[in-house]
Every structure is written in structure tokens, then in C-alpha cells.
Amino acid sequence: MEEESCSISKAVAVTACTAMALFYVAVLYAPTLILRLPPPTSLQVYMTRRFLCAFISTAVSVLVCVLILPTRKMDFSLLLAAYGIRADHIWQAVVFPLSLTSLMYLGSMALKSLLLVDSWGEHMYHGEGSLLDSAIFFWTRFLDWVLLTVSNVLAWRNYVVAPLTEELVFRACMIPVLLSGGFKPTTVIFLCPILFSLAHLNHFMEYYDKQNNNLTKTVMVVGLQLCYTVVFGSYASFLFVRTGHLLAPLVAHVFCNFMGLPVLFSRRRGVVSLAFVVGMVGFLWLLFPMTSPHLFNEKTNNCRCWHGHCSWN
């Protein structure tokens, strides 16, 4: 868009986004440093406090966007669409990004499948029941894992609270602000992840303490984490810009948190490396076709996102 049609200046847009990123991290430490609450008595209490802080900072970021973006005269549905919150094209916003993202983890899924087959074979080799008994055994173990995950507060952080609040702040809030400030979509895709990485710098001191003040190891681990954060942040921003739908980066975020870092190779298992290469080739080949704005909007010239950024090609 042209500079003269911008709703806010670039300086205001960058300042607002930087403030939102820093505020997102700072609020996490408010219970101890500002409110002077006693130290949490358990991990459950500690994480509950952080969940509340994350939701508060997210609400503040949304309020800031409402104040600085030209959305005051919009009806409620268009206002929600400004943040990518839409009731239309839901299955497309879930299935296509999830399928695309899973291609990056083809090596990981191949390794998990091989380990599962080995475990199944070992179970059968020791004569522990029939094929039906083995299937029931593995199904029971799967259900136990699901119940354990649902009751695990860290799982709620990794799969619910962190993806939801981070996508709302760093995609739904920041991208419209930066676009309204006159930044091009390609610039926004690479600028947002830098701000996104600021929200993970707090892990430096936490990991530094856990490693008994080992600065070298801390820098290496946190540096790798930040590099991965920037790469994923670029991908998530790309999904939001292309689709105009918050669900697209949200499901990708949850899936990546679940899978962890992609497996590139495994000893004595060349098929894992082959699967990774095939998956990455497929990912790059389908990146633009599976995120085409036409898949997520009836008409790209009448896009539900107020800024029209999902019509970017």
C-alpha cells in the first residue's frame, strides 16, 4: 500500500508491536516482582499464575490494536475478521495448514512409525498374547497417554495457552498493525518473527540457572531455540498473511509444539533421512498452492480480513 494511505506511521507501528512483545514477557513476572506474591507452592500454582498473566497481556494487546487501528466504525464480524477470527472456511484453515506443516515432520513420523513397529514386533516375539491382545495393549497405552497429557499442566501450556495467546498477540494483533503502518507483507513476514523471538528471551536466565551458570551451553541452547523460533515465526506469519485466518497459524503452532524439532536422520535408519528430504521437497512444492487465498475466501477482492492482506500473491 502507498505511504499516504497508511493509517499509522511505521514508527508507531514498530513501537506498538515492540511494546506488545516486551509486555507479553514482562507480565509473566508480575506476580513475583510487582504484586509481591509469595513463591508458588507447586508447579500447578506457578503455571496457573502464568496462564492468567498471558491472558491479561493478550487482552491488553487486543485493546491497544482496537485503539490504534481504523476499526472503530466496523461491525462486530468485520472487527473480529481484523484479527483473523472468522467462522467461515474453518475446515480449510485447519486441514490445509496442518497437512502442509506435517510434511516438514515426515522424517519424525517415519521414525515414530518404525519405533512403534519394533515395539509391536518385540511384544509379539515374546508371545505376550495374540494380535488382538497386542492391539488392545497398545490402545490402552495410548489412552493412558491421552489422560496423562490432559491432566498435565505443561501440556496445557504447550498445546493451548502458549499457542493461543502467542498467535493472538504476535500474528492477529501485530500483523494488522504493521500492515496498517505501511510495511509490505513480505517485510512483515520477516519482521514479526524478530519481535516473536523477544518473547522467548526470558528462557535465557531460566536455562542459565538450570545449567549452574554455564554461559556457553546456555548461549548455544537458547541460540538454537531462538533460530527455530524465528523460522517458525516467519512460517506462522506467512500462513496468517496468505489465509487471513487465525486458525491457520494456530493449528501449525500446536502441531509444531507437539512434534518438537524435526528429525533429520537416525542411525541405521536411512529411510528417516529419505522421508525428511521427501517431506521438505513436498513442503516447498505445495507451500504456495496450499496457502492460496482463494482456498480461504469466496473472493479475494472481497476478503473477510479488513486489510485485504490475504489477497497477497
Side-chain angles (χ1 to χ4, degrees):
M1 63 189 297
E2 297 299 327
E3 186 71 28
E4 58 269 21
S5 64
C6 300
S7 303
I8 58 178
S9 67
K10 289 185 176 181
V12 170
V14 172
T15 301
C17 291
T18 303
M20 284 188 280
L22 295 177
F23 184 71
Y24 184 88
V25 177
V27 170
L28 296 178
Y29 299 93
T32 304
L33 300 180
I34 299 177
L35 300 179
R36 300 294 183 180
L37 295 179
T41 56
S42 64
L43 177 63
Q44 189 89 15
V45 175
Y46 174 74
M47 294 308 302
T48 301
R49 289 182 182 179
R50 288 213 152 190
F51 292 168
L52 291 174
C53 291
F55 283 119
I56 290 172
S57 64
T58 301
V60 171
S61 295
V62 172
L63 179 60
V64 169
C65 289
V66 170
L67 294 176
I68 66 177
L69 288 175
T71 57
R72 298 180 187 83
K73 296 182 180 180
M74 292 183 178
D75 59 48
F76 187 68
S77 62
L78 289 178
L79 180 62
L80 291 179
Y83 300 101
I85 302 173
R86 297 161 46 184
D88 59 294
H89 296 80
I90 290 180
W91 77 264
Q92 293 94 331
V94 173
V95 173
F96 291 137
L98 189 58
S99 301
L100 183 64
T101 306
S102 65
L103 290 175
M104 293 189 291
Y105 289 92
L106 209 57
S108 302
M109 291 187 285
L111 179 60
K112 290 180 184 295
S113 299
L114 291 173
L115 293 176
L116 180 62
V117 170
D118 290 345
S119 179
W120 187 298
E122 184 178 349
H123 188 77
M124 295 293 295
Y125 176 78
H126 289 90
E128 299 178 3
S130 63
L131 182 63
L132 178 60
D133 292 333
S134 297
I136 294 175
F137 171 75
F138 282 101
W139 176 250
T140 303
R141 288 185 60 182
F142 172 75
L143 291 179
D144 291 339
W145 173 82
V146 170
L147 292 175
L148 182 63
T149 301
V150 170
S151 61
N152 188 345
V153 68
L154 294 179
W156 280 92
R157 178 196 65 181
N158 295 333
Y159 309 140
V160 179
V161 179
L164 181 59
T165 57
E166 288 178 0
E167 292 308 316
L168 278 169
V169 173
F170 294 94
R171 250 63 69 181
C173 290
M174 290 190 183
I175 288 180
V177 168
L178 292 172
L179 289 171
S180 188
F183 290 97
K184 295 181 179 179
T186 49
T187 304
V188 171
I189 287 174
F190 293 105
L191 179 58
C192 262
I194 297 175
L195 299 170
F196 183 52
S197 64
L198 293 178
H200 295 77
L201 286 177
N202 60 310
H203 298 313
F204 184 88
M205 291 307 301
E206 294 176 1
Y207 198 85
Y208 184 68
D209 292 335
K210 291 181 180 179
Q211 294 300 317
N212 297 320
N213 302 332
N214 188 328
L215 182 61
T216 302
K217 189 172 182 179
T218 301
V219 170
M220 291 178 62
V221 172
V222 176
L224 177 63
Q225 184 186 47
L226 290 181
C227 289
Y228 177 75
T229 300
V230 169
V231 172
F232 171 77
S234 299
Y235 175 59
S237 299
F238 175 86
L239 288 176
F240 188 81
V241 167
R242 290 280 288 175
T243 66
H245 216 302
L246 182 62
L247 272 179
L250 181 59
V251 296
H253 196 152
V254 174
F255 183 77
C256 288
N257 280 3
F258 176 76
M259 295 297 294
L261 290 173
V263 175
L264 307 183
F265 64 91
S266 177
R267 292 181 179 180
R268 299 191 299 272
R269 295 181 185 273
V271 66
V272 173
S273 299
L274 178 62
F276 172 76
V277 172
V278 171
M280 286 305 301
V281 171
F283 172 80
L284 295 174
W285 183 43
L286 295 172
L287 181 60
F288 279 86
M290 290 190 73
T291 60
S292 173
H294 295 278
L295 296 174
F296 305 91
N297 303 276
E298 295 297 338
K299 296 180 180 179
T300 54
N301 61 353
N302 189 26
C303 177
R304 287 297 306 277
C305 61
W306 72 277
H307 208 281
H309 53 266
C310 65
S311 62
W312 169 64
N313 290 303

